[in-house]
Amino acid sequence: MFQRNALKLGVVAATVLGIALTACNSKDDNPTPAPPRSATYKLRGTGTDATRQTGAVTITENSDSSVNVILTLGKHVKDTLHQVYFISGNYATPTTDTLQSAEAKGTGGSSVVTVELFKNVKTIKLRQAAGASKDIAFKYNDATKLLAHIKVKHSKFSADTLAIGNFGKEN
């Protein structure tokens, strides 16, 4: 009789222990991180290219909440330093506040030129008229709510625009 009760007691103890171990193991100490968020905004040409996409700007979020902003330019002229401007306000009503300026060297042909406007940033410096500047938050949510645009000029002294498009909340 003792052996029969011991066997039942052993089965009950094993079941309780199994349930307890399963409950402990179901808790995930290392949850799978959320995939990085990203958004892409189209740039269009001007004049006869006004309906054609000539580039794009993509913002991606890093695991530390910093962001990267990358410009890809499909239309460019070989060996020309195109001027890239990242400006507050939409392109129909721009402001004089510049978020970033850069150069993109054209390679000609059908290749795409890539320009890293920001890498691993959480704040950026807003350059205002008369030389003033201030730091503004630039994490993913801040950047996608920003009212801004990208303008790519043919060259530093040219009035010709190769690509233009809104960035952030206007899209």
Side-chain angles (χ1 to χ4, degrees):
M1 187 159 140
F2 177 72
Q3 285 181 332
R4 195 180 312 158
N5 286 339
L7 183 60
K8 287 181 186 177
L9 185 60
V11 170
V12 170
T15 303
V16 170
L17 185 59
I19 292 171
L21 287 174
T22 303
C24 289
N25 287 340
S26 68
K27 186 172 126 184
D28 192 357
D29 292 334
N30 295 321
T32 304
R37 295 182 289 178
S38 70
T40 299
Y41 305 102
K42 296 177 183 178
L43 302 180
R44 303 237 181 260
T46 58
T48 58
D49 287 335
T51 59
R52 194 181 106 185
Q53 181 176 344
T54 56
V57 61
T58 302
I59 180 169
T60 56
E61 182 179 38
N62 300 315
S63 61
D64 66 350
S65 298
S66 66
V67 295
N68 304 322
V69 178
I70 308 292
L71 167 72
T72 54
L73 193 57
K75 182 178 181 179
H76 44 87
V77 179
K78 184 175 174 121
D79 297 329
T80 300
L81 287 178
H82 304 299
Q83 299 299 304
V84 179
Y85 300 99
F86 192 3
I87 305 168
S88 289
N90 70 30
Y91 68 82
T93 56
T95 69
T96 57
D97 301 339
T98 302
L99 303 169
Q100 182 67 290
S101 60
E103 292 181 334
K105 185 172 183 180
T107 60
S110 61
S111 64
V112 173
V113 171
T114 301
V115 178
E116 195 172 79
L117 296 173
F118 297 105
K119 181 176 174 117
N120 300 325
V121 297
K122 293 182 182 180
T123 62
I124 59 173
K125 193 165 290 299
L126 175 64
R127 294 188 307 268
Q128 300 170 312
S133 67
K134 68 177 181 177
D135 288 339
I136 61 171
F138 202 72
K139 292 184 181 177
Y140 186 82
N141 289 340
D142 303 313
T144 57
K145 290 177 184 173
L146 185 68
L147 177 60
H149 70 283
I150 305 285
K151 186 177 205 175
V152 181
K153 305 281 272 171
H154 177 72
S155 66
K156 191 171 192 169
F157 302 108
S158 172
D160 295 337
T161 300
L162 290 180
I164 193 165
N166 288 327
F167 177 92
K169 78 177 190 179
E170 281 294 304
N171 286 297

